[in-house]
Amino acid sequence: MTDCLKSQKISVSANNLGCFRDQFPIFNEISFSLSAGEALFLRGANGSGKTSLLLVLAGILPYSGKFEIKRFGENQQDIPANQLIHFIGHQNAIKPELTLKQNLQFWAQMYNGDQTSISQILEKARLFGLDNFLAGHLSAGQKHRLSLCRLLLSPRPLWLLDEPTSTLDSQGDTWVSDLISSHLANAGIIIAATHRTIELKDQKKTKSLTMGANK
Amino acid sequence: MNANKMPSTNKPKNWFSALAHPGVFLGWSRHFIRPLIFLTLISFAIGLWFAFFNSPPDYQMGETVRIMYIHVPNAWLAQMVYSIMAISAIGSLVWRHPLADVAMKAAAPLGAAFTAIALFTGALWGRPTWGTYWEWDGRMTSTLVLFLMYLGLVALWNTFSDQSKGARIIAVFTLVGAINIPIIKFSVEWWNALHQPSIISTQGLSMPAEIYTPLLIMTLAFSLLFFTLHLVNMRAEIFRRRANTLERQHVIENAQASAANNGKGENK
Amino acid sequence: MIDLGPHAIFIISSYVGAFLVTAIMIAWVWTNSKNQQARLDDLQRMGIYRRSDKNTPDIAEETK
Amino acid sequence: MRAFLIVIGRDLQLAIKNGGATLTQLIFFISIGVIMPIAIGPDKQILADLAPAIIWIAALLSTLLGLDRLFVADHEDGTLLSLHHASISLTSISAAKIISHWLITALPLILATPLLAVMLFMELPQFLATITALLLGTPALAALGAIGAAISVTLKRGGMVAPILILPLAIPILIFGVSAANSFAGAQTSSSAMLFLGAISLLAVAFAPFAISLALKAAEE
């Protein structure tokens, strides 16, 4: 899994990004660049455009300026940009009518990942032994953890996380920061919007961007 | 040890007392299933023997009278099952008894099946007798409406994820729909169309005993079949609710337990 | 078998149809009941009980 | 291709788990077939003549009934957003959605048509022609309906808007569908109507996925 990720090494750069809704800027003049193994934490008040920026980077919102993902691996040039990205937003993309396992199986297949490790992934998320329970029984925090499990279903270099720790308890926080640290150690890139500080093993590799300052 | 002392021990008492009656029901109803199956099989055997080998063709209908031996019991059950559902609906609304909810839910698909058989055999009887499979007369239309109501109730149960909350709403609709039962009953007199008047009327029997006997036994057989299936289905519904509660409870406890475990790990 | 006369096909098909619907109904009720029971058994095997089954004495004591 | 089948399979799985929705639609379909004769009167000849039209209107209205749940749930729980990063394109997903929508909504209606046929006193050839016309025409209904559902996915009253958008587009299907069944005696016009129906369905199913994926992309903005 890690080898696979290393061969997908990328760097991203954004130059003067802006996003407008009805001529009104949600954010503009955002520039940053990240190389493999670096994280960017977006900070700022509610409504400062953190989520919108993530949606722009995820290729969902239209934008002005320039955003580029550079690929370094061999044979990786033909992977479409959308398949280099894991995006975990506020909505958890979980069907309450299906079991935890069925939910993850679907996303494993959608992400071209492997389904064999689902039980281990659930265990890591402290959802141990709940494979065949309905996702509808889960609490909000558990659902959020299940949603984050999608990150581990297939190796993708760029993670875009919107408030990854918002509904989690302190153990959940630790798990997420472990996830982020090991992804960075594997030369992945993370861009996350967060209110809370996420403690990482290697703080040098993180950058921070405060949004809404130029309004 | 720790698990027993968890704060959630107070909650299940409530939940336990709510399920107390269904629990008692599960206890005694278990002993009824086998005898009921046995009685159902016996009465079907006797009824079918009468229906095919020990009853003469009717002087008017001829051999097609044999369709009546399934049609009439099922038409009767179609209405009786709905009446049972309506009574359960009252129980559910007035006393909020969980067993009444379960009885209501378990009966709906069975009622739909009996009504379907009544409609189907009625059509097949109508063709040789009246020359048409279907006629838009009062009784047939109202029975068809009954069939749709049954299906609607089944669909309604499926749309509620919280079954005990849904039960009250469904009970209201069941009672509103009960208006259809007297309509079916009196439709023959009111519309005075093709359909036969009731076989059993206040003036006494309107047909010979050779035809009446198999009819009665088949009615008994189908009613026993309904009671058996209803009992089994009610038990299954109680099991289903229990399993759901347990699953939900386990998921919550899992969260609490893993939080507790991790907390310990960190302290060390 | 007795002679069912000119309308035999209607009689037979109504019996067959009724039998089919009844059989499907019975099969559905049966499998549903078995499935729910199996679910409870699975939970029990995982060590998940209803509290009233596991420690009835506890609850009896508490209610005193 | 596997991912394509998995999207269909999951939709079917969800439809079975929420069995109420398909059943509701089915009851609605039969109900229209019950209401019409009560309104028109029990005259057999009139009912038999009107039967294909009644069945088509019932099919059209009840497929519209199921539209609101086609994309809304996936939009609200974030599934659509996450599918942007799937290894299968949104256009293929839309195509899969049309197929699952047809299997969940149109197929049960077609299977229930014999019931309406008996109640409306249809003759056998007329009935067979109606079934064939439904099989040929409903894919187009499903495709158009899915477009309407995708366009109205973010609207508050999407469930009301989609039918209004789609009804006018469905008129050609209705015309050919009814004429295919009605003029069965004059097989000439009937078979050409069937051809038109098939052609409309082919075109609609081929082009709808592109429109749907565009609409869904726009909806997320």
Side-chain angles (χ1 to χ4, degrees):
Chain A
M1 186 167 162
T2 49
D3 295 343
C4 188
L5 189 53
K6 286 235 167 80
S7 69
Q8 267 181 283
K9 213 166 157 184
I10 58 160
S11 75
V12 299
S13 64
N15 195 6
N16 206 9
L17 277 185
C19 179
F20 295 83
R21 178 154 290 174
D22 298 336
Q23 316 291 322
F24 184 82
I26 302 173
F27 61 79
N28 56 26
E29 293 171 27
I30 298 277
S31 301
F32 60 81
S33 74
L34 298 166
S35 51
E38 284 189 318
L40 175 71
F41 291 120
L42 307 174
R43 303 189 187 279
N46 290 337
S48 58
K50 299 192 294 287
T51 301
S52 301
L53 176 55
L54 285 175
L55 288 172
V56 163
L57 301 180
I60 288 160
L61 288 185
Y63 59 93
S64 63
K66 204 177 166 199
F67 174 63
E68 205 180 10
I69 301 180
K70 276 203 191 96
R71 282 159 258 218
F72 296 115
E74 324 99 54
N75 306 328
Q76 300 298 325
Q77 302 300 333
D78 49 344
I79 295 183
N82 73 323
Q83 289 184 42
L84 297 169
I85 298 172
H86 268 312
F87 174 86
I88 306 286
H90 286 297
Q91 302 129 317
N92 47 34
I94 289 169
K95 296 288 176 197
E97 305 93 332
L98 301 181
T99 65
L100 274 65
K101 196 176 173 184
Q102 287 168 332
N103 268 296
L104 287 190
Q105 269 174 340
F106 174 72
W107 287 111
Q109 281 153 334
M110 286 298 112
Y111 292 150
N112 238 344
D114 78 317
Q115 302 173 53
T116 48
S117 56
I118 284 176
S119 288
Q120 287 108 286
I121 291 174
L122 283 172
E123 204 169 327
K124 279 181 202 150
R126 289 192 296 119
L127 297 166
F128 174 66
L130 298 181
D131 302 34
N132 295 318
F133 284 73
L134 291 185
H137 292 330
L138 298 179
S139 70
Q142 284 172 317
K143 275 185 191 150
H144 188 62
R145 270 185 266 149
L146 180 61
S147 180
L148 286 167
C149 282
R150 286 187 280 149
L151 293 169
L152 300 172
L153 289 172
S154 77
R156 291 185 172 190
L158 178 56
W159 288 6
L160 303 172
L161 310 175
D162 198 358
E163 301 288 356
T165 56
S166 60
T167 54
L168 297 182
D169 50 18
S170 57
Q171 282 82 42
D173 275 4
T174 338
W175 177 58
V176 170
S177 52
D178 285 351
L179 271 184
I180 291 177
S181 297
S182 67
H183 185 61
L184 296 179
N186 287 329
I189 292 180
I190 287 171
I191 302 175
T194 93
H195 280 298
R196 291 195 253 169
T197 3
I198 298 176
E199 284 173 29
L200 297 181
K201 284 169 192 154
D202 195 356
Q203 292 287 357
K204 282 177 226 158
K205 294 246 176 153
T206 62
K207 295 177 177 177
S208 153
L209 178 71
T210 308
M211 299 192 62
N214 55 350
K215 265 187 201 167
Chain B
M1 280 316 289
N2 205 14
N4 282 341
K5 282 202 169 180
M6 276 199 316
S8 58
T9 22
N10 284 332
K11 266 190 188 168
K13 226 197 288 174
N14 220 336
W15 161 79
F16 169 76
S17 66
L19 275 185
H21 272 295
V24 174
F25 168 78
L26 283 182
W28 61 259
S29 63
R30 182 173 37 198
H31 307 295
F32 279 74
I33 296 174
R34 273 165 202 281
L36 271 173
I37 292 174
F38 180 71
L39 284 175
T40 310
L41 287 176
I42 294 270
S43 47
F44 263 114
I46 300 175
L48 286 173
W49 179 72
F50 264 105
F52 273 108
F53 303 107
N54 203 14
S55 63
D58 187 71
Y59 71 98
Q60 244 181 342
M61 302 182 220
E63 296 287 349
T64 51
V65 72
R66 299 185 203 286
I67 297 178
M68 286 288 111
Y69 302 143
I70 336 177
H71 174 70
V72 173
N74 281 287
W76 143 255
L77 269 180
Q79 297 167 58
M80 189 194 72
V81 173
Y82 201 94
S83 312
I84 289 178
M85 275 166 47
I87 293 166
S88 308
I90 295 172
S92 172
L93 280 176
V94 178
W95 295 287
R96 302 198 170 206
H97 202 299
L99 199 61
D101 303 353
V102 170
M104 210 162 48
K105 183 177 178 184
L110 304 179
F114 291 126
T115 316
I117 296 178
L119 286 169
F120 176 69
T121 52
L124 284 176
W125 182 81
R127 179 73 200 186
T129 318
W130 302 330
T132 176
Y133 286 108
W134 186 259
E135 188 68 37
W136 290 97
D137 88 326
R139 174 157 285 189
M140 280 179 274
T141 308
S142 51
T143 308
L144 185 63
V145 170
L146 181 69
F147 179 60
L148 292 176
M149 300 251 318
Y150 274 123
L151 291 184
L153 285 167
V154 173
L156 204 53
W157 276 110
N158 277 324
T159 53
F160 283 100
S161 57
D162 179 353
Q163 299 275 283
S164 50
K165 187 181 160 197
R168 298 178 62 72
I169 297 165
I170 292 167
V172 173
F173 181 70
T174 308
L175 286 178
V176 172
I179 186 79
N180 194 28
I181 297 296
I183 292 181
I184 297 175
K185 178 97 186 69
F186 296 113
S187 55
V188 180
E189 281 115 81
W190 291 346
W191 272 275
N192 207 3
L194 267 180
H195 202 282
Q196 304 274 308
S198 217
I199 290 163
I200 311 159
S201 65
T202 43
Q203 281 85 39
L205 296 181
S206 63
M207 56 168 54
E210 301 90 69
I211 287 170
Y212 189 65
T213 315
L215 204 57
L216 210 64
I217 300 173
M218 285 301 275
T219 308
L220 179 73
F222 271 105
S223 305
L224 281 169
L225 176 69
F226 164 71
F227 286 121
T228 316
L229 292 178
H230 193 215
L231 201 67
V232 175
N233 218 10
M234 278 173 77
R235 288 170 59 85
E237 176 62 19
I238 296 173
F239 287 143
R240 203 179 66 81
R241 289 181 183 196
R242 281 193 176 179
N244 277 352
T245 317
L246 283 175
E247 279 187 359
R248 198 163 302 146
Q249 197 178 305
H250 176 66
V251 169
I252 293 165
E253 279 172 9
N254 180 289
Q256 290 168 341
S258 71
N261 283 341
N262 272 28
K264 272 180 213 158
E266 271 184 7
N267 287 342
K268 278 171 196 172
Chain C
M1 198 68 191
I2 48 163
D3 176 31
L4 289 177
H7 301 306
I9 181 73
F10 293 101
I11 299 171
I12 291 167
S13 42
S14 64
Y15 273 81
V16 168
F19 174 77
L20 283 180
V21 176
T22 319
I24 291 168
M25 174 169 63
I26 293 172
W28 173 75
V29 169
W30 199 253
T31 48
N32 181 36
S33 153
K34 286 287 162 228
N35 284 345
Q36 302 308 334
Q37 245 161 332
R39 263 180 80 198
L40 270 182
D41 289 347
D42 280 350
L43 287 167
Q44 208 150 42
R45 219 171 297 126
M46 287 171 71
I48 305 165
Y49 295 88
R50 301 178 65 221
R51 242 160 267 209
S52 52
D53 297 341
K54 192 169 61 176
N55 26 346
T56 323
D58 281 12
I59 284 180
E61 271 167 37
E62 276 172 31
T63 43
K64 268 175 197 170
Chain D
M1 190 62 202
R2 258 200 78 195
F4 183 80
L5 293 176
I6 279 155
V7 173
I8 298 176
R10 175 155 115 145
D11 278 354
L12 294 182
Q13 201 176 20
L14 286 169
I16 290 166
K17 301 258 171 177
N18 320 320
T22 303
L23 188 58
T24 316
Q25 215 173 4
L26 205 54
I27 301 168
F28 190 73
F29 178 68
I30 302 172
S31 298
I32 296 177
V34 173
I35 295 280
M36 286 299 209
I38 290 173
I40 295 168
D43 186 298
K44 278 183 191 167
Q45 194 50 52
I46 294 175
L47 280 177
D49 287 347
L50 292 177
I54 294 175
I55 289 175
W56 266 100
I57 286 176
L60 179 61
L61 292 182
S62 48
T63 32
L64 294 179
L65 193 70
L67 284 185
D68 58 324
R69 66 173 199 278
L70 185 54
F71 292 114
V72 168
D74 279 347
H75 172 68
E76 282 175 351
D77 68 13
T79 303
L80 276 182
L81 203 57
S82 290
L83 283 174
H84 278 81
H85 303 111
S87 57
I88 164 178
S89 72
L90 209 52
T91 311
S92 320
I93 291 171
S94 310
K97 282 275 184 187
I98 294 175
I99 294 174
S100 61
H101 180 54
W102 185 83
L103 288 172
I104 294 164
T105 60
L107 191 60
L109 303 187
I110 295 175
L111 294 178
T113 306
L115 193 65
L116 288 197
V118 170
M119 296 191 315
L120 299 172
F121 312 110
M122 279 177 107
E123 298 295 329
L124 190 64
Q126 203 189 16
F127 164 69
L128 289 178
T130 307
I131 284 274
T132 320
L134 280 173
L135 281 170
L136 286 171
T138 43
L141 280 186
L144 289 176
I147 295 176
I151 286 170
S152 59
V153 69
T154 49
L155 305 180
K156 277 214 180 83
R157 295 215 157 267
M160 310 278 277
V161 175
I164 295 170
L165 294 176
I166 292 313
L167 270 175
L169 295 175
I171 288 174
I173 306 170
L174 207 59
I175 293 172
F176 289 119
V178 173
S179 63
N182 253 348
S183 52
F184 198 73
Q188 194 65 46
T189 43
S190 171
S191 59
S192 68
M194 296 274 193
L195 283 177
F196 269 112
L197 269 184
I200 292 173
S201 277
L202 274 179
L203 281 175
V205 173
F207 287 108
F210 298 99
I212 293 168
S213 73
L214 277 177
L216 290 178
K217 271 182 190 151
E220 298 296 347
E221 279 174 13

